[in-house]
């Protein structure tokens, strides 16, 4: 198996004005492509060739930093594009997911507040997360290419808070970017799909 850059599931213009064509051209076409190209070079001779992407991420964590950073970001970004959609972020969540957010996280408004706080307080580059751990939803943050996958949990929603994800559109206003992501971009149907897979 080798890594392959997935196509965006929408046009480069589709997420404007919340995420611009220019941001997606740099972030998907250049940054994500670099993780794929570098990951493929580092996969050779690593002993993890032929494994699934999740297995490469988990197998390289703490052992092969170069491969981990690129494979981890490839995993994160592959889902990140699908965690967004045009006209996303409406608050009508699928029933089971909404019920779990109410039960484990004190409701959608509180979940958004905690997710934003996680993203704002992640110093430097990294990700804010909604994940399933031991059957329950949690909000967390990680640095660089890490994800809940290497902390015993399954990510179901993540937002990239590295500056390349928002600086063109929001300059230094990371809280505004996180608010736009949650209120206008999140594809809750894809979050629900990952939630269902993680809790079955
Ligand atoms: Mn990124």
């Amino acid at each position: 198996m080798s890594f392959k850059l997935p196509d965006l599931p929408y046009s480069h213009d589709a997420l404007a004005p919340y995420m611009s064509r220019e941001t997606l051209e740099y972030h998907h076409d250049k940054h994500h492509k670099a993780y794929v190209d570098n990951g493929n070079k580092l996969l050779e001779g690593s002993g993890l060739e032929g494994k699934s992407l999740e297995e490469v991420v988990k197998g390289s964590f703490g052992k092969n930093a170069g491969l981990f950073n690129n494979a981890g970001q490839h995993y994160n970004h592959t889902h990140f594009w699908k965690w967004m959609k045009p006209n996303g972020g409406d608050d009508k969540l699928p029933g089971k997911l909404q019920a779990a957010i109410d039960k484990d996280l004190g409701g959608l408004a509180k979940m958004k507040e905690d997710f934003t706080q996680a993203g704002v307080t992640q110093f430097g580059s990294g990700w804010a997360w909604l994940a399933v751990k031991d059957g329950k939803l949690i909000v967390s943050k990680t640095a660089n290419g890490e994800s809940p996958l290497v902390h015993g949990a399954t990510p179901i929603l993540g937002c990239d808070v590295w500056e390349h994800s928002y600086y063109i559109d929001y300059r230094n206003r990371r809280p505004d970017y996180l608010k736009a992501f949650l209120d206008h971009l999140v594809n809750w149907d894809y979050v629900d799909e990952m939630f269902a897979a993680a809790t079955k």
Side-chain angles (χ1 to χ4, degrees), residues 165-182:
S165 195
Y166 63 88
Y167 214 82
I168 290 168
D169 301 320
Y170 298 89
R171 295 303 166 188
N172 61 332
R173 294 176 288 114
R174 192 189 284 187
D176 291 355
Y177 157 66
L178 281 155
K179 181 170 169 48
F181 176 82
L182 289 168

Side-chain angles (χ1 to χ4, degrees), residues 89-90 93-94 97 108 111 130 157 186-192:
D90 66 65
L93 273 55
L97 177 62
L108 184 60
M111 176 257 139
L130 179 62
L157 175 67
V186 174
N187 180 353
W188 287 112
D189 291 329
Y190 187 58
V191 178
D192 186 55

Side-chain angles (χ1 to χ4, degrees), residues 8 10-17 19-22 24-25:
L8 285 176
Y10 32 73
S11 77
H12 287 79
D13 290 319
L15 303 183
M19 190 173 281
S20 65
R21 160 180 280 276
E22 191 181 357
L24 287 171
E25 283 174 350

Side-chain angles (χ1 to χ4, degrees), residues 13-85:
D13 290 319
L15 303 183
Y18 305 108
M19 190 173 281
S20 65
R21 160 180 280 276
E22 191 181 357
T23 290
L24 287 171
E25 283 174 350
Y26 275 89
H27 198 180
H28 173 272
D29 304 1
K30 296 183 192 296
H31 287 278
H32 189 173
K33 183 174 188 299
Y35 300 134
V36 168
D37 292 345
N38 291 328
N40 279 329
K41 282 182 207 141
L42 293 162
L43 194 57
E44 273 177 48
S46 69
L48 293 167
E49 304 94 327
K51 304 279 189 193
S52 71
L53 176 55
E54 286 84 349
E55 287 170 328
V56 174
V57 171
K58 289 183 189 174
S60 59
F61 182 58
K63 295 182 186 132
N64 181 338
L67 176 58
F68 173 76
N69 285 333
N70 287 283
Q73 290 289 30
H74 176 42
Y75 173 87
N76 295 353
H77 286 80
T78 294
H79 292 290
F80 184 53
W81 312 127
K82 297 201 270 187
W83 279 321
M84 298 186 286
K85 67 171 187 179

Side-chain angles (χ1 to χ4, degrees), residues 107-176:
L108 184 60
K110 180 72 166 73
M111 176 257 139
K112 286 187 179 184
E113 199 183 307
D114 291 348
F115 188 94
T116 301
Q117 187 64 13
V120 168
T121 57
Q122 172 54 45
F123 187 78
S125 84
W127 294 74
W129 299 102
L130 179 62
V132 176
K133 187 168 193 178
D134 303 324
K136 282 195 152 104
L137 289 176
I138 58 166
V139 170
S140 68
K141 60 184 174 184
T142 60
N144 303 316
E146 281 183 36
S147 77
L149 211 53
V150 295
H151 297 288
T154 306
I156 63 168
L157 175 67
C159 184
D160 189 350
V161 298
W162 198 336
E163 285 180 349
H164 66 213
S165 195
Y166 63 88
Y167 214 82
I168 290 168
D169 301 320
Y170 298 89
R171 295 303 166 188
N172 61 332
R173 294 176 288 114
R174 192 189 284 187
D176 291 355

